[in-house]
């Protein structure tokens, strides 16, 4: 199944490229074969300003460009696919530690699928293979070619990669620091020979590249473009330029090289050679004058590093890498000016973290293969025998990782926005559905929208209050509740978060299949849009507001649905009666606001209540009741407890951890040992019993 997924993604990428108009696909090929391409220019390679490779790349790839021209670009695309497949196979082969044959078989299609989905590879399909070839040459040099210290083969391959991308020459210090000095010298020598060969064949181009376009700076896009995820590009985006910027860049680059290469050498000697290669590649990203998006594959390799002593923390770093490498920055962070420096440099920040900051575990750490096990909460017995239907869906007692949680919420909301905006069935269908809703409400005697709308308009303070409430509390209250539960009641946070996610997904289905015009967009019915002002009904898109959001995403009303979710959660979890009553006020005011401002029909609120009810029901059916067994729920109230550790009476010799002998703490046999020193383990978890949990 995984191989089928990888093959499907590969076919999808090829079809997506070949279906583009001729002027928009294979742009890198166009720099060779186009009207002003390199193949048709008798003068300098850089005369057109579009070719971004080194002179050696121009010398070697001209024949490939001619072959691609003759094959109408199909071979070019298939060649990129084959390079990506080869890259994934070599990366899967290079996994650190003792890995079973089954794991290696699964790792290859997973690696290829991640590569296919990553932004660098997706860009490489039209920006060219020269960004993939250096990475592949380095991986082949380290993991495929016989790498005995006296053999020059790996150094030759890395030198060729450096001739295509000069910053790859930083792998020579890695070879030197790990004792492969002859291969390091071979790398430098191969790079020098290739550069000299390009100088002899293309002297003017080599001079131009060395003096004006070192490492591609000034070629392609401007160096201060967001696409340039290097330290040089970040400094330019911060407004620095001239000698000050160059001096600061040199200092920072030297510091990154010093710390990053030393860390890479340490992990290489530790037996994690793929992680060492990835760290060095992240150094290459940071210190190269230009690191375009299609040259950032090194960062994807860094997900093999293991971060965190707990098993529950292990997926955080790989998940962050996958999110950063597959989604644009605007999906990860909101469009706020204060966050622009982070959003515009998120790939560089991730690369710097991998190169210099993240405490990847060494293989000598007791937690490398045996992390602290996760304690899972067990709900009380359900009323129905078949609940939960998904027994593998287990809730953790501890709170989830904050960084990963914030990324998941932001990415989920970005996806929700995009699907909501795309679910536009057109004005005609939306108006027809609105007429259906209005007729049903008249039959039921609940068509109060026009009366409420005009009644509120006559009272200015009521209109201002409801307008403010409609625009302000929709996100503020749910996020506040989630934040409080995250801090105070993490197990309940996981349960109610899932119910909110289900309700939102169900609402998207309604938006897609039932576009509905709200009362304010119904021409001739005398509704007053108190929030947005008068609409231009002569314009089919009703002015500029349509470009911001899908105005026909009215059924169901998530304004009311989310407010009802807030009220239910507060009633379920609030400890005081006055808090529960206050929680009920929010949905009551919200339903008044959405109807009185002419933004929703009454039945839209009923639809919102329905999806929220189904969301809670699905969460209950799949994961079981919200309430937990008392002994387990008390675990989250004990600060400083190391969840998942073995009790003292069941620890094996050599076990390390809190209170054990090893790097995690001092021996427990001294004064600090006693009845209260045992680690707490929930009932039903291996290595624990009810008595230890009660302690």
């Amino acid at each position: 199944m995984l191989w089928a997924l990888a093959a499907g993604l590969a076919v999808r990428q090829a079809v997506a490229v070949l279906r583009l108009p001729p002027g928009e696909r294979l742009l890198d090929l166009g720099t060779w074969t186009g009207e002003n391409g390199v193949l048709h220019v008798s003068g300098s390679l850089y005369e057109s300003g579009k070719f971004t490779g080194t002179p050696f790349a121009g010398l070697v790839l001209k024949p490939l460009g001619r072959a691609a021209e003759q094959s109408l670009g199909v071979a070019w695309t298939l060649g990129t696919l084959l390079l990506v497949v080869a890259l994934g196979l070599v990366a899967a082969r290079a996994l650190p530690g003792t890995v079973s044959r089954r794991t290696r078989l699964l790792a290859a299609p997973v690696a290829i699928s991640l590569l296919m989905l990553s932004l660098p590879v997706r860009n490489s399909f039209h920006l060219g293979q020269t960004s993939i070839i250096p990475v592949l040459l380095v991986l082949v040099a380290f993991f495929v070619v016989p790498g005995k210290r006296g053999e020059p083969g790996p150094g030759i391959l890395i030198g060729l990669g450096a001739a295509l991308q000069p910053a790859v020459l930083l792998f020579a210090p890695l070879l030197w620091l790990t004792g492969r000095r002859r291969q390091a010298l071979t790398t430098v020598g191969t790079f020098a020979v290739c550069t000299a060969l390009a100088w002899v064949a293309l002297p003017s181009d080599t001079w131009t590249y060395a003096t004006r376009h070192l490492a591609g700076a000034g070629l392609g896009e401007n160096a201060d473009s967001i696409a340039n995820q290097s330290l040089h590009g970040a400094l330019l985006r911060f407004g620095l330029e001239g000698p000050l910027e160059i001096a600061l860049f040199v200092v920072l680059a030297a510091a990154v090289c010093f710390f990053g290469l030393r860390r890479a050498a340490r992990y290489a000697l530790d037996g994690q050679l793929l992680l060492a290669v990835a760290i060095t590649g992240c150094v290459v990203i940071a210190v190269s004058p230009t690191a375009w998006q299609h040259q950032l594959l090194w960062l994807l390799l860094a997900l093999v590093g293991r971060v965190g002593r707990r098993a529950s923390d292990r997926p955080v770093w790989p998940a962050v890498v996958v999110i950063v490498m597959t989604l644009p920055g605007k999906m990860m962070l909101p469009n706020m000016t204060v966050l622009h420096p982070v959003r515009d440099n998120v790939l560089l920040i991730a690369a710097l973290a991998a190169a210099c900051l993240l405490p990847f575990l060494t293989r000598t750490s007791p937690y490398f293969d045996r992390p602290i096990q996760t304690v899972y909460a067990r709900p009380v017995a359900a009323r129905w025998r078949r609940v939960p239907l998904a027994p593998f869906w287990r809730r953790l007692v501890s709170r989830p990782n904050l960084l990963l949680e914030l990324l998941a919420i932001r990415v989920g909301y970005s996806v929700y926005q995009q699907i909501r905006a795309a679910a536009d069935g057109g004005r005609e269908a939306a108006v027809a559905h609105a007429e259906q809703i209005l007729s049903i409400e008249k039959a039921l005697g609940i068509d109060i929208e026009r009366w409420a709308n005009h009644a509120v308009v006559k009272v200015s303070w009521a209109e201002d209050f409801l307008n403010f409430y409609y625009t302000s509390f929709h996100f503020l209250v749910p996020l506040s509740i989630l934040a409080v539960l995250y801090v105070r009641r993490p197990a309940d946070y996981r349960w109610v978060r899932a119910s909110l996610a289900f309700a939102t997904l169900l609402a998207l289905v309604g938006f897609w299949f039932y576009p509905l015009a709200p009362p304010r967009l119904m021409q001739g019915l005398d509704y007053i849009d108190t929030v947005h002002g008068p609409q231009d009904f002569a314009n089919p898109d009703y002015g500029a507001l349509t470009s911001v959001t899908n105005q026909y995403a009215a059924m169901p009303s998530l304004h009311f649905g989310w407010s009802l979710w807030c009220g239910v959660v507060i009633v379920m979890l609030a400890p005081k009666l006055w808090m529960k009553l206050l929680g009920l006020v929010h949905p009551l005011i919200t339903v008044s606001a959405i109807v009185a401002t002419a933004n929703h029909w009454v039945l839209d609120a009923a639809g919102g209540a329905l999806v929220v009810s189904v969301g809670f029901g699905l969460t209950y059916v799949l994961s079981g009741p919200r309430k937990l067994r008392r002994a387990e729920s008390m675990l989250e109230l004990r600060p400083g407890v190391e969840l998942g550790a073995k009790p003292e009476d069941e620890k094996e010799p050599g076990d390390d951890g809190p209170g054990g002998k090893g790097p995690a703490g001092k021996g427990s046999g001294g004064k600090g040992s006693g009845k209260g020193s045992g680690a707490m383990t929930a009932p039903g978890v291996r290595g624990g019993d009810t008595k230890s949990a009660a302690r």
Side-chain angles (χ1 to χ4, degrees):
M1 290 177 63
L2 290 171
W3 277 110
L5 174 62
L9 290 170
V11 172
R12 176 184 176 275
Q13 291 290 357
V15 171
V17 171
L18 295 176
R19 289 180 61 185
L20 291 173
E24 299 180 13
R25 67 185 179 192
L26 306 175
L27 299 182
D28 191 65
L29 179 59
T31 65
W32 301 89
T33 63
E35 183 178 353
N36 298 319
V38 176
L39 296 179
H40 303 293
V41 175
S42 57
S44 171
L45 291 170
Y46 308 107
E47 186 174 334
S48 64
K50 296 181 179 179
F51 178 65
T52 60
T54 64
F56 180 77
L59 177 65
V60 173
L61 296 179
K62 267 194 175 186
L64 294 179
R66 290 194 179 95
E69 182 181 28
Q70 294 171 0
S71 60
L72 301 178
V74 175
W76 187 270
T77 302
L78 295 179
T80 305
L81 287 173
L82 292 177
L83 289 174
V84 174
V85 171
L87 194 62
L89 291 174
V90 177
R93 177 178 177 176
L95 291 175
T98 303
V99 181
S100 65
R101 181 173 178 271
R102 178 169 180 253
T103 300
R104 292 191 186 277
L105 289 174
L106 295 175
V110 169
I112 294 171
S113 300
L114 288 176
L115 288 167
M116 291 292 178
L117 291 172
S118 67
L119 291 172
V121 169
R122 279 150 54 188
N123 287 338
S124 294
F125 275 97
H126 64 276
L127 293 174
Q129 297 104 315
T130 53
S131 61
I132 300 176
I133 293 174
V135 182
L136 183 59
L137 287 174
V138 171
L139 290 182
V140 171
F142 277 103
F143 303 108
V144 178
V145 175
K148 294 182 180 179
R149 301 192 178 205
E151 296 185 1
I156 294 175
L157 292 177
I158 297 173
L160 288 173
L164 295 173
Q165 186 179 347
V168 173
L169 198 61
L170 285 172
F171 281 92
L174 176 63
L175 293 171
W176 186 275
L177 292 172
T178 53
R180 301 182 181 185
R181 299 188 175 183
R182 183 175 179 181
Q183 293 178 3
L185 295 175
T186 304
T187 297
V188 176
T190 303
F191 171 75
V193 169
C194 293
T195 304
L197 182 62
W199 181 283
V200 172
L202 304 167
S204 62
D205 290 333
T206 303
W207 177 256
T208 301
Y209 183 84
T211 57
R212 296 172 54 191
H213 303 302
L214 184 62
L219 299 172
E221 297 187 46
N222 294 329
D224 61 351
S225 168
I226 296 178
N228 180 14
Q229 290 291 308
S230 68
L231 283 171
H232 178 53
L235 292 175
L236 291 176
R237 286 191 289 275
F238 280 120
L240 298 175
E241 57 184 16
L244 175 62
E245 187 274 328
I246 295 175
L248 185 57
F249 168 63
V250 170
V251 171
L252 292 176
V256 172
C257 288
F258 178 78
F259 291 107
L261 293 177
R262 284 172 60 89
R263 277 165 48 90
R266 180 161 64 93
Y267 287 112
L269 296 174
D270 183 60
Q272 300 186 69
L273 189 54
L274 181 58
L275 177 59
V277 170
I279 290 175
T280 307
C282 290
V283 174
V284 169
I285 293 172
V287 306
S288 178
T290 54
W292 305 117
Q293 196 170 63
H294 58 284
Q295 298 172 332
L296 306 181
L297 278 174
W298 303 109
L299 180 56
L300 192 60
L301 301 176
L303 61 81
V304 298
R306 301 184 183 183
V307 182
R309 298 185 306 169
R310 301 172 184 270
S312 59
D313 292 335
R314 289 291 172 84
V316 175
W317 170 243
V320 169
V321 172
V322 171
I323 291 174
V324 166
M325 292 295 290
T326 56
L327 299 177
K330 63 183 180 181
M331 290 190 66
M332 288 178 277
L333 293 169
N335 187 21
M336 300 171 60
T337 304
V338 68
L339 296 177
H340 284 179
V342 178
R343 189 188 68 177
D344 295 344
N345 301 288
V346 64
L347 289 166
L348 172 62
I349 293 171
L352 289 173
C356 302
L357 299 177
L358 282 175
F360 296 112
L361 294 175
T362 60
R363 296 183 65 190
T364 57
S365 169
Y367 303 105
F368 187 84
D369 291 318
R370 297 179 60 187
I372 298 173
Q373 294 303 307
T374 302
V375 175
Y376 293 101
R378 291 199 300 169
V380 298
R383 296 181 180 179
W384 294 280
R385 184 165 55 94
R386 299 296 182 184
V387 173
L389 288 180
F392 56 85
W393 183 344
R394 297 181 292 175
R395 280 154 52 206
L396 279 67
V397 174
S398 59
R399 60 184 56 86
N401 180 272
L402 181 59
L403 173 62
L404 190 59
E405 197 70 9
L406 292 175
L407 279 175
I409 291 174
R410 172 59 194 174
V411 171
Y413 181 68
S414 297
V415 173
Y416 158 75
Q417 281 184 310
Q418 293 194 10
I419 296 177
R420 174 187 166 118
D424 185 359
R427 176 180 179 181
E428 185 177 346
V431 171
H433 291 157
E435 292 174 349
Q436 293 175 2
I437 292 294
L438 184 57
S439 63
I440 294 174
E441 289 188 354
K442 287 181 177 179
L444 297 175
I446 56 174
D447 55 326
I448 61 172
E449 293 85 2
R450 185 180 178 280
W451 167 81
N453 181 229
H454 283 263
V456 167
V457 169
K458 294 177 181 178
V459 184
S460 59
W461 67 265
E463 178 184 357
D464 294 339
F465 171 74
L466 292 178
N467 288 346
F468 173 77
Y469 206 91
Y470 178 84
T471 56
S472 302
F473 289 88
H474 180 43
F475 297 106
L476 180 61
V477 178
L479 290 177
S480 300
I481 290 175
L482 289 174
V484 170
L485 293 180
Y486 178 87
V487 175
R488 300 295 299 273
R489 307 184 68 163
D492 287 330
Y493 167 83
R494 295 176 184 274
W495 199 88
V496 299
R497 176 197 57 183
S499 65
L500 182 63
F502 279 132
T504 305
L505 289 174
L506 292 171
L508 288 176
V509 176
F511 300 157
W512 191 276
F513 290 103
Y514 199 78
L516 176 66
R520 62 185 176 81
L521 296 183
M522 293 296 291
Q523 188 173 6
L525 297 184
D526 196 24
Y527 288 102
I528 302 172
D529 189 346
T530 63
V531 177
H532 309 99
Q535 297 294 319
D536 181 12
F537 289 103
N539 184 349
D541 292 332
Y542 302 116
L545 194 60
T546 302
S547 62
V548 178
T549 183
N550 177 10
Q551 300 191 77
Y552 302 139
M555 172 62 83
S557 169
L558 278 186
H559 254 86
F560 177 70
W562 286 0
S563 68
L564 180 63
W565 175 88
C566 295
V568 172
V569 170
I570 292 174
V571 169
M572 284 194 304
L573 301 178
K576 305 291 185 180
L577 177 61
W578 67 266
M579 296 179 181
K580 298 178 185 292
L581 295 176
L582 188 62
L584 295 177
V585 172
H586 178 52
L588 292 176
I589 298 179
T590 301
V591 71
S592 303
I594 64 174
V595 173
T597 59
N599 277 281
H600 282 284
W601 307 95
V602 172
L603 287 182
D604 294 347
L610 177 63
V611 296
V612 169
S613 302
V614 176
F616 279 114
L618 283 175
T619 307
Y620 178 88
V621 170
L622 293 176
S623 65
R626 176 193 60 81
K627 293 183 178 180
L628 305 177
R629 297 187 179 183
R630 180 170 179 80
E632 290 176 322
S633 62
M634 290 297 291
L635 288 174
E636 64 193 78
L637 303 180
R638 290 288 302 274
V641 173
E642 194 72 67
L643 298 178
K646 288 185 178 181
E648 294 296 326
D649 57 345
E650 291 195 20
K651 280 200 173 183
E652 300 174 1
D655 276 0
D656 293 315
K661 297 179 181 179
K666 296 182 179 180
S668 59
K671 295 180 180 180
S673 61
K675 284 187 176 183
S677 62
M680 295 178 65
T681 307
V685 179
R686 183 180 177 183
D689 53 22
T690 308
K691 187 177 295 185
S692 63
R695 287 208 303 272

